[in-house]
Amino acid sequence: MSLRFTVSKSDGDRRPSDIQGEVNQLFEGDEPSACGAAAAGEAAPADDEDAVVVVLKGDSNPKESSPFINSSEAAAEKSQQYDGKNMALFEEEMDTRPMVSSLLSTLANYSNLPQGCKEHEEAENNEAEPARKKPVKAPQLGTLMGVYMPCIQNIFGVILFLRMTWLVGIGGVIGTFIIVFMCCATTMLTAISMSAIATNGVVPAGGSYYMISRSLGPEFGGAVGICFYLGTTYAGAMYILGAIELLLIYIAPKAAIFPIEGLEGAEAEAALLNNMRVYGTILLTSMATVVFVGVKYVNKLALVFLACVILSILAVYAGVIKTGIEPPIFPVCILGNRTLVWKNFDVCAKTIETANGTVTTQLWNIFCDSPFLNATCDKYFAANNVSQIQGIPGITSGVLADNLFGTYYEKGDLIDKSLLESVQEHDDPVTNANRYVLADITSFFTLLVGIYFPSVTGIMAGSNRSGDLRDAQKSIPIGTIAAITTTSTVYMTSVFLFGACIEGVVLRDKFGEGVHGNLVIGTLAWPSPWVIVIGSFFSTCGAGLQSLTGAPRLLQAIAKDGIVPALRIFGHGKANGEPTWSLLLTACICESGILIASLDAVAPILSMFFLMCYMFVNLACALQTLLRTPNWRPRFKFYHWTLSFLGMSLCLTLMFICSWYYAIVAMGIAGSIYKYIEFAGAEKEWGDGIRGLSLSAARYALMRLEEGPPHTKNWRPQLLVLVSTDAEQNVEQPRLLSLTNQLKAGKGLTIVGTALEGTYLANHEQAQRADQALRKLMETEKVKGFCQVTVSSNLRDASSHLLQASGLGGLKHNAVLVSWPRNWKHGDEHQTWRNFVELVRETTIARLALLVPKNISAFPSNGERFTEGHIDVWWIVHDGGMLMLLPFLLRQHKVWRKCKMRIFTVAQMDDNSIQMKKDLTTFLYHLRIDAMVEVVEMHDSDISAYTYEKTLVMEQRSQMLKQINLTKTEREREIQSITDSSRGSIRRKNPAAVTTQLSVTEEPPATSKEEKPEEESKSASSPVSPPAQVQLIHDNTTPASPATPATPLTPAEETQSPGEQIQRTWTEKCDGKAAKPLGVTTQEDIKDIFNMKPEWENLNQSNVRRMHTALRLNEVILKKSSEAKLVLLNMPGPPKNRTSDENYMEFLEVLTEGLNRVLLVRGGGREVITIYS
């Protein structure tokens, strides 16, 4: 906001800085009355030499941060100025919240922008030298000249003069009245809706486009604005074609470049259309030149064109009155019942009696081969009599009864008078067809609607001039509704008057060929037909100029809004703002309409565009009324949503009545523009009704979602993606969002959340930066969803808050995606993995699915493509089908589309692996999932020495970290020494086998064939893990084999000595030899037993069993899936005993060791996939 005024220096030689300081005090509440005077513009003239310009500038964008926080030194200085003032309580907010006095004075100075200026909300900060701008003259137009007369001029047009009588003749008085009533009712209802919108606040210049875009949003506004622009442009083409038709048929038929004389049928029609094209192009070029040279000339001629329209209509009414007294003489010549083209003959008779006897006429010579009475004549001419009827019998003649009902023709049919007798043999072809009045097009009811509707358009003329009105909110409703009432009355009365005054065959004669080539409505006019011909010619030319003037400005307004990037070039123009490029495009589009060359073909096209525009005006009013938005307070009170809905329904109905295929094309154009703006257009927030509708629909949908959980068929992962940020609030794991995009493909709910440590007040700016970073990354990765930043005293609580509070109502996440904690074994990262394990526990309690990608940096980006490979699923326990569903969703994305799916499951010794494979294949067939199936048989095997050594290292490290409070460096050194000593003891037994098994880093080690375990001995494990259990992988529904390492030991076994237990359960594994049967002990075995370490006896047997399972599974997975692009694996549940959290992390590390990309999956406790449709 910038306020500019001048202060006179006549009261002394004060410096500008002193004056500026006094002005500041005025606005700070020192002298409120002076403030009002200064802001109201009571200042010295701009040309006063002793005047100083003082500018008060404030930031038009409200500050995000609270002024009471982080107050700067400037604020401290400002507070000193407020000492002792009565506004000191609000001194910190004066920059963002001005005093009421200054606000009111600013609003009082607001003036409507004139026609063609920028919209009122556009900033003018970049305008050069605003002080030198000339003051804008206040608009002075009232209701009559500003709204009523422009609407009258635009509504009355070419259709009234050229087609109205033909419409009455073809459709009948009743049918035409229905058409007129429907169209007029549509425009009246639209005018009511438009009045409500126009009086709901200030409407700058822009008319219907402005109203629709600000009510329905930029997408609808742009689509309908362009449709309205196309309609206005084609209206210009229609007016030009009408003017050329008047010129070539009624005013100067001799001027035709392509002669029509002597041509028949298609040749004559083609010659007429070519003449229309040539002269239409010439007239269009002339009009475009006039508009380019200066629109002021168009405005000066506007009153002349308006006078022509009014005089023409008055001449028609005067002629109707005269027919009741003395009907004009316009005879029509009828042969049998066929109407003759009155051309090249003077008397409507075959012969006439003269003093010298019977003489043949010119009409005889047309139908006979000689002027003699014994000549050979046309059969129909010889068999029927010639009669002459009065073309304008008058209002009292009773001809209305004959014209009540319609008569529709096929193209080429004869225009006949059905009440007269006709002698004709049905088999005889029509000869001399060019001598009769023929139907030039096939007519039907819907065609008449499409041709007539353009005659009621133009109701936006007043709103388009809103910038020139003295009081737009008062003038637009009154003027528009009065103009529609007047024009509707004229149209409806003209239907009855034409039907009551003019003979039916004359009404159906489109070009007046039966009345000496006169304009049919001109035959009714008084005092002369030329009044109508000349008046309608000038009025159509004027209407065409108005269209060529208004359409480019409408396109320029759309282009300047910036919502359609492709149209930005059309926002530029000449130095005075005239839209040069827009005018050029408008002329080109208008030329395409002129090349059609048929008024009857162009009219339905522009009807579509206008009807679509009116439909959305009604929709905007209905939406605003139904949503009851707080800002919807129109001054015009005579509206209701039912009226708007009825108007919208009428518009839609008329679109399909006029032409269903044109309607579909128009909707397709509007829909394409809508999607284009939505995809590539500028982001605009205009407080539109669609946003309110979206909120209402969202509330309704959320309430419906509360009724119950979704059905299994509708289940899809609604992800809460937990990411971490660095010190600069940049996301540390961007590939998490890539994986999210590949899983979701834009469907379902996605919430990307991050946690910050601290207090919200102290970290508000960091939270905002993190939010912006999340939004930017989501846009880059094309993830559609929401982001949420939570600040809490510690990261653990913040993550828990995200887990609990994200989402709204039924629209909540059902799955959590979080990355595996990297470098969790480092001493300074101990809190990270503790938070991770707590998160696993919380998702289990909340019955949420959990997805944990390990080594996330190795996952593909959205731009990568796998041309081949496999997605391997290791289905060890049943998790509700998550392991089946996730690969299917991934393969919908182009990154994974070429990968094939393989499913591995584990069979115990007692299981029939062949039957398991058949059952699983059948199950996948019913699931409609294409995948290869393999059942892995894991035989019973004993716990190896390596397992004990691995467990020992794990437990010793865990105890050391708990008991010894060392510095970070010392702790790492101590851990390293223990690890090195353990590795040394194992290497002495088998150096080659330990290389891959002791990797403790996040990065995947090299997996060459030499490093892979060669043995395929397997450990059995069961498929199901109930939620209450916290063992690694086992099932309480399937009996486990007594020899299975995962099976708890019985009390009898626990009482055995450690040596006996070891003898039963241990076989050397790492030597590369096959496992030996139980009870078979060799000399080498006895030697190894005596080499056992005594500390193994004190190991927790539960940890030993878990480590054994993890190692065996990892060995099998590495053997089968080392080359897979992605491995999906059941994630074991966390231990109930929190002292074993680090052991849990070690088990997972061992389980996934050596794999490049792993996705650990933990189900949420419900079925997510079904075989039923």
Side-chain angles (χ1 to χ4, degrees):
M1 180 180 68
S2 177
L3 299 177
R4 179 179 295 273
F5 52 91
T6 57
V7 180
S8 175
K9 292 174 59 180
S10 59
D11 56 346
D13 295 326
R14 292 187 292 170
R15 291 175 300 174
S17 58
D18 298 333
I19 299 174
Q20 181 73 56
E22 293 183 14
V23 173
N24 289 341
Q25 289 184 356
L26 292 180
F27 278 83
E28 289 168 356
D30 194 18
E31 296 178 23
S33 60
C35 169
E42 298 176 4
D47 57 353
D48 188 359
E49 295 181 358
D50 294 331
V52 176
V53 177
V54 181
V55 182
L56 286 152
K57 292 184 178 178
D59 189 0
S60 59
N61 298 320
K63 303 276 192 305
E64 293 292 342
S65 57
S66 172
F68 287 102
I69 303 170
N70 302 329
S71 57
S72 61
E73 295 180 3
E77 293 177 3
K78 188 173 181 179
S79 65
Q80 295 176 2
Q81 299 176 4
Y82 279 90
D83 289 344
K85 305 294 190 296
N86 55 3
M87 289 293 162
L89 183 62
F90 301 96
E91 62 189 16
E92 300 286 353
E93 297 183 303
M94 283 298 171
D95 287 337
T96 57
R97 301 180 183 182
M99 291 176 57
V100 174
S101 57
S102 60
L103 176 67
L104 292 178
S105 61
T106 305
L107 293 176
N109 280 341
Y110 181 85
S111 61
N112 239 339
L113 295 177
Q115 186 85 1
C117 288
K118 289 185 177 181
E119 296 174 356
H120 71 285
E121 74 256 51
E122 290 187 8
E124 294 186 1
N125 296 332
N126 57 350
E127 296 285 345
E129 300 183 2
R132 295 186 182 180
K133 283 185 177 180
K134 294 182 180 180
V136 178
K137 186 177 180 180
Q140 297 296 328
L141 291 179
T143 303
L144 182 65
M145 296 304 297
V147 180
Y148 181 78
M149 287 302 183
C151 285
I152 290 287
Q153 182 181 357
N154 278 266
I155 295 173
F156 285 137
V158 64
I159 301 297
L160 173 64
F161 301 119
L162 291 181
R163 294 291 183 269
M164 196 67 190
T165 54
W166 178 77
L167 290 171
V168 175
I170 296 293
V173 172
I174 295 176
T176 309
F177 182 82
I178 292 173
I179 294 173
V180 172
F181 180 80
M182 277 197 306
C183 296
C184 292
T186 301
T187 54
M188 179 60 78
L189 293 171
T190 304
I192 292 172
S193 300
M194 184 190 70
S195 300
I197 298 174
T199 57
N200 186 51
V202 178
V203 178
S208 59
Y209 161 69
Y210 181 91
M211 289 187 291
I212 295 171
S213 61
R214 270 53 177 181
S215 298
L216 295 179
E219 293 87 2
F220 276 110
V224 179
I226 292 176
C227 285
F228 189 55
Y229 161 75
L230 292 174
T232 308
T233 304
Y234 275 105
M238 183 187 72
Y239 291 131
I240 292 173
L241 289 174
I244 299 303
E245 184 176 310
L246 285 165
L247 177 68
L248 292 179
I249 295 179
Y250 305 110
I251 298 176
K254 302 287 187 184
I257 297 176
F258 300 91
I260 305 176
E261 290 289 337
L263 299 179
E264 294 185 17
E267 294 180 353
E269 182 180 358
L272 176 62
L273 294 181
N274 288 331
N275 284 318
M276 301 279 281
R277 292 183 181 107
V278 173
Y279 278 99
T281 304
I282 294 171
L283 185 57
L284 171 63
T285 306
S286 304
M287 287 184 173
T289 305
V290 171
V291 174
F292 177 77
V293 169
V295 74
K296 60 182 180 180
Y297 301 111
V298 179
N299 293 331
K300 287 180 179 179
L301 293 172
L303 280 176
V304 177
F305 299 142
L306 177 62
C308 291
V309 173
I310 295 175
L311 287 175
S312 300
I313 293 172
L314 291 177
V316 172
Y317 277 96
V320 169
I321 296 172
K322 186 176 182 297
T323 62
I325 305 169
E326 182 183 354
I329 306 300
F330 279 102
V332 179
C333 192
I334 305 291
L335 175 62
N337 62 355
R338 300 175 182 178
T339 309
L340 293 174
V341 175
W342 198 306
K343 189 192 303 183
N344 298 327
F345 66 92
D346 51 357
V347 179
C348 182
K350 294 182 180 181
T351 58
I352 54 175
E353 297 293 333
T354 62
N356 296 327
T358 302
V359 180
T360 57
T361 62
Q362 293 176 343
L363 184 60
W364 178 282
N365 295 333
I366 292 174
F367 285 93
C368 300
D369 57 0
S370 69
F372 303 107
L373 292 176
N374 59 354
T376 303
C377 296
D378 181 87
K379 288 184 178 181
Y380 187 84
F381 180 78
N384 291 274
N385 294 324
V386 175
S387 59
Q388 180 174 307
I389 61 173
Q390 181 64 10
I392 312 293
I395 195 170
T396 59
S397 63
V399 74
L400 177 64
D402 298 334
N403 295 329
L404 281 178
F405 302 102
T407 306
Y408 297 96
Y409 294 103
E410 294 287 333
K411 183 177 181 179
D413 285 354
L414 298 166
I415 305 297
D416 54 8
K417 185 172 175 59
S418 58
L419 298 179
L420 295 179
E421 294 183 359
S422 174
V423 178
Q424 179 185 7
E425 296 183 8
H426 295 290
D427 297 334
D428 288 346
V430 176
T431 55
N432 293 303
N434 61 325
R435 305 303 179 187
Y436 303 111
V437 178
L438 304 176
D440 66 322
I441 59 172
T442 300
S443 54
F444 40 91
F445 181 80
T446 57
L447 173 73
L448 304 187
V449 177
I451 292 175
Y452 173 74
F453 188 80
S455 65
V456 296
T457 59
I459 63 174
M460 301 287 186
S463 63
N464 289 342
R465 288 170 171 77
S466 57
D468 295 333
L469 300 176
R470 188 184 305 116
D471 185 357
Q473 296 193 12
K474 176 183 177 183
S475 297
I476 288 177
I478 296 175
T480 305
I481 293 176
I484 292 175
T485 304
T486 303
T487 54
S488 299
T489 303
V490 170
Y491 281 133
M492 291 180 186
T493 55
S494 66
V495 170
F496 285 100
L497 294 177
F498 292 162
C501 295
I502 305 176
E503 177 61 46
V505 291
V506 180
L507 288 173
R508 292 186 283 276
D509 184 1
K510 182 184 289 186
F511 302 111
E513 294 172 307
V515 284
H516 300 279
N518 281 302
L519 182 63
V520 175
I521 194 174
T523 60
L524 189 62
W526 180 86
S528 168
W530 285 100
V531 175
I532 293 288
V533 173
I534 301 300
S536 58
F537 178 76
F538 280 111
S539 68
T540 49
C541 289
L545 278 173
Q546 293 287 348
S547 297
L548 289 178
T549 304
R553 278 159 180 74
L554 178 60
L555 181 62
Q556 187 181 40
I558 298 172
K560 284 188 174 181
D561 260 344
I563 59 175
V564 185
L567 297 180
R568 283 176 183 159
I569 187 176
F570 299 107
H572 306 293
K574 293 194 294 186
N576 60 354
E578 290 296 318
T580 308
W581 291 105
S582 299
L583 176 61
L584 184 62
L585 179 65
T586 302
C588 293
I589 297 174
C590 195
E591 176 65 18
S592 69
I594 289 174
L595 291 178
I596 297 174
S598 172
L599 182 69
D600 301 323
V602 172
I605 297 176
L606 64 102
S607 295
M608 291 301 116
F609 293 123
F610 278 119
L611 280 167
M612 185 166 290
C613 177
Y614 296 164
M615 181 177 69
F616 281 102
V617 169
N618 285 295
L619 174 63
C621 181
L623 269 184
Q624 299 275 31
T625 307
L626 288 173
L627 293 175
R628 298 178 182 176
T629 52
N631 192 52
W632 180 246
R633 302 184 299 274
R635 290 186 180 276
F636 181 78
K637 301 298 181 184
F638 306 100
Y639 70 93
H640 194 267
W641 69 267
T642 54
L643 295 178
S644 300
F645 188 78
L646 179 61
M648 184 181 69
S649 303
L650 270 174
C651 289
L652 189 62
T653 304
L654 285 175
M655 284 179 67
F656 282 92
I657 285 178
C658 292
S659 174
W660 64 268
Y661 46 89
Y662 277 164
I664 292 174
V665 170
M667 288 182 171
I669 292 173
S672 302
I673 298 169
Y674 178 94
K675 296 305 292 183
Y676 173 73
I677 296 174
E678 187 179 51
F679 177 74
E683 293 289 335
K684 297 283 185 180
E685 175 51 57
W686 287 327
D688 52 86
I690 293 297
R691 178 61 61 89
L693 179 64
S694 300
L695 290 173
S696 297
R699 181 183 63 85
Y700 174 77
L702 286 172
M703 297 299 291
R704 289 290 303 273
L705 286 176
E706 284 285 281
E707 296 175 2
H711 192 273
T712 303
K713 290 186 290 186
N714 297 325
W715 196 95
R716 66 168 61 247
Q718 316 283 7
L719 290 180
L720 170 62
V721 186
L722 297 180
V723 298
S724 57
T725 56
D726 56 20
E728 300 298 325
Q729 276 70 52
N730 294 320
V731 178
E732 292 181 336
Q733 308 101 354
R735 288 294 171 87
L736 263 182
L737 293 189
S738 300
L739 179 60
T740 302
N741 176 274
Q742 294 157 23
L743 273 171
K744 304 289 292 180
K747 307 295 183 183
L749 172 70
T750 302
I751 302 174
V752 182
T754 189
L756 298 181
E757 191 171 4
T759 63
Y760 183 69
L761 291 178
N763 295 276
H764 177 67
E765 291 186 1
Q766 290 90 327
Q768 281 191 320
R769 287 202 300 271
D771 183 82
Q772 292 299 321
L774 288 181
R775 291 180 187 276
K776 185 176 180 180
L777 184 59
M778 290 173 68
E779 183 179 352
T780 303
E781 298 293 342
K782 297 180 180 179
V783 174
K784 296 181 180 179
F786 312 97
C787 60
Q788 190 167 348
V789 181
T790 301
V791 184
S792 187
S793 57
N794 58 74
L795 293 179
R796 171 83 286 278
D797 290 344
S799 300
S800 181
H801 296 159
L802 279 172
L803 195 72
Q804 298 174 57
S806 295
L808 178 63
L811 194 65
K812 292 182 70 70
H813 54 276
N814 55 27
V816 178
L817 177 63
V818 62
S819 178
W820 175 262
R822 292 191 60 183
N823 305 323
W824 65 273
K825 293 186 180 182
H826 290 184
D828 57 345
E829 298 288 340
H830 67 95
Q831 193 58 45
T832 303
W833 63 260
R834 291 186 188 277
N835 293 344
F836 174 77
V837 177
E838 287 299 306
L839 181 68
V840 177
R841 287 193 174 99
E842 288 181 350
T843 55
T844 304
I845 293 297
R847 299 179 67 83
L848 299 174
L850 180 63
L851 311 178
V852 182
K854 192 168 181 286
N855 195 17
I856 185 64
S857 59
F859 276 67
S861 65
N862 291 327
E864 296 180 40
R865 303 285 185 276
F866 288 133
T867 56
E868 58 181 1
H870 295 92
I871 299 176
D872 285 359
V873 177
W874 283 85
W875 192 19
I876 300 172
V877 296
H878 183 57
D879 59 351
M882 281 286 290
L883 284 172
M884 306 294 173
L885 186 62
L886 292 177
F888 171 77
L889 294 175
L890 281 174
R891 292 183 68 236
Q892 306 304 306
H893 196 274
K894 50 192 173 184
V895 173
W896 304 92
R897 190 166 294 153
K898 298 293 181 64
C899 292
K900 296 182 179 180
M901 184 173 165
R902 295 190 301 190
I903 296 180
F904 297 90
T905 189
V906 176
Q908 301 179 63
M909 279 198 62
D910 297 339
D911 293 328
N912 185 340
S913 59
I914 298 176
Q915 187 61 39
M916 282 182 65
K917 183 172 183 178
K918 288 182 179 179
D919 294 343
L920 183 54
T921 305
T922 304
F923 179 59
L924 291 176
Y925 175 78
H926 288 303
L927 287 177
R928 290 91 63 201
I929 292 178
D930 185 19
M932 292 181 288
V933 176
E934 185 171 343
V935 177
V936 178
E937 297 176 348
M938 295 187 68
H939 299 290
D940 294 337
S941 61
D942 298 331
I943 301 174
S944 65
Y946 177 73
T947 302
Y948 280 101
E949 194 67 38
K950 189 83 171 173
T951 309
L952 176 62
V953 173
M954 177 185 73
E955 290 193 355
Q956 286 180 346
R957 181 173 62 236
S958 178
Q959 291 173 5
M960 186 175 297
L961 292 177
K962 293 174 184 176
Q963 296 173 4
I964 305 175
N965 186 15
L966 300 175
T967 64
K968 174 184 175 183
T969 307
E970 292 171 331
R971 190 183 303 125
E972 289 179 353
R973 189 183 301 121
E974 192 70 27
I975 294 172
Q976 190 63 38
S977 64
I978 295 173
T979 305
D980 291 343
S981 62
S982 301
R983 283 176 177 169
S985 63
I986 298 297
R987 279 196 193 97
R988 285 192 295 272
K989 294 187 177 183
N990 190 351
V994 186
T995 307
T996 60
Q997 300 294 339
L998 284 177
S999 174
V1000 293
T1001 62
E1002 169 71 12
E1003 300 301 323
T1007 54
S1008 63
K1009 290 185 178 180
E1010 290 77 17
E1011 293 173 329
K1012 293 179 187 176
E1014 295 292 328
E1015 182 166 315
E1016 196 176 346
S1017 58
K1018 306 169 182 68
S1019 64
S1021 65
S1022 310
V1024 179
S1025 174
Q1029 296 286 351
V1030 289
Q1031 300 295 335
L1032 179 66
I1033 299 171
H1034 69 90
D1035 183 20
N1036 61 350
T1037 60
T1038 304
S1041 172
T1044 302
T1047 307
L1049 295 177
T1050 62
E1053 293 170 329
E1054 291 177 355
T1055 59
Q1056 296 175 352
S1057 66
E1060 292 174 335
Q1061 289 188 17
I1062 293 171
Q1063 187 175 1
R1064 285 189 66 250
T1065 60
W1066 168 55
T1067 304
E1068 186 67 35
K1069 163 184 174 288
C1070 297
D1071 57 358
K1073 298 179 181 178
K1076 292 174 281 295
L1078 294 178
V1080 180
T1081 305
T1082 63
Q1083 186 71 23
E1084 188 178 355
D1085 294 335
I1086 297 171
K1087 179 181 177 182
D1088 287 334
I1089 291 172
F1090 285 108
N1091 289 335
M1092 288 179 57
K1093 295 185 178 181
E1095 55 265 30
W1096 288 1
E1097 301 177 9
N1098 300 321
L1099 290 177
N1100 186 321
Q1101 292 303 310
S1102 176
N1103 287 342
V1104 174
R1105 292 194 308 272
R1106 286 185 171 88
M1107 183 63 73
H1108 176 68
T1109 306
L1111 283 169
R1112 295 307 308 277
L1113 278 174
N1114 176 258
E1115 179 185 346
V1116 175
I1117 293 172
L1118 273 176
K1119 187 174 183 63
K1120 297 288 185 180
S1121 302
S1122 59
E1123 301 297 328
K1125 301 299 183 184
L1126 177 65
V1127 176
L1128 282 86
L1129 183 63
N1130 284 116
M1131 183 178 182
K1136 286 184 177 178
N1137 185 4
R1138 295 180 185 272
T1139 60
S1140 304
D1141 286 355
E1142 188 179 11
N1143 297 343
Y1144 173 68
M1145 295 294 292
E1146 185 69 37
F1147 294 144
L1148 294 181
E1149 188 74 56
V1150 171
L1151 182 64
T1152 58
E1153 204 164 23
L1155 296 172
N1156 188 21
R1157 299 184 192 93
V1158 184
L1159 183 60
L1160 294 170
V1161 180
R1162 184 163 172 77
R1166 63 159 294 168
E1167 293 294 330
V1168 300
I1169 196 166
T1170 178
I1171 65 174
Y1172 299 105
S1173 61

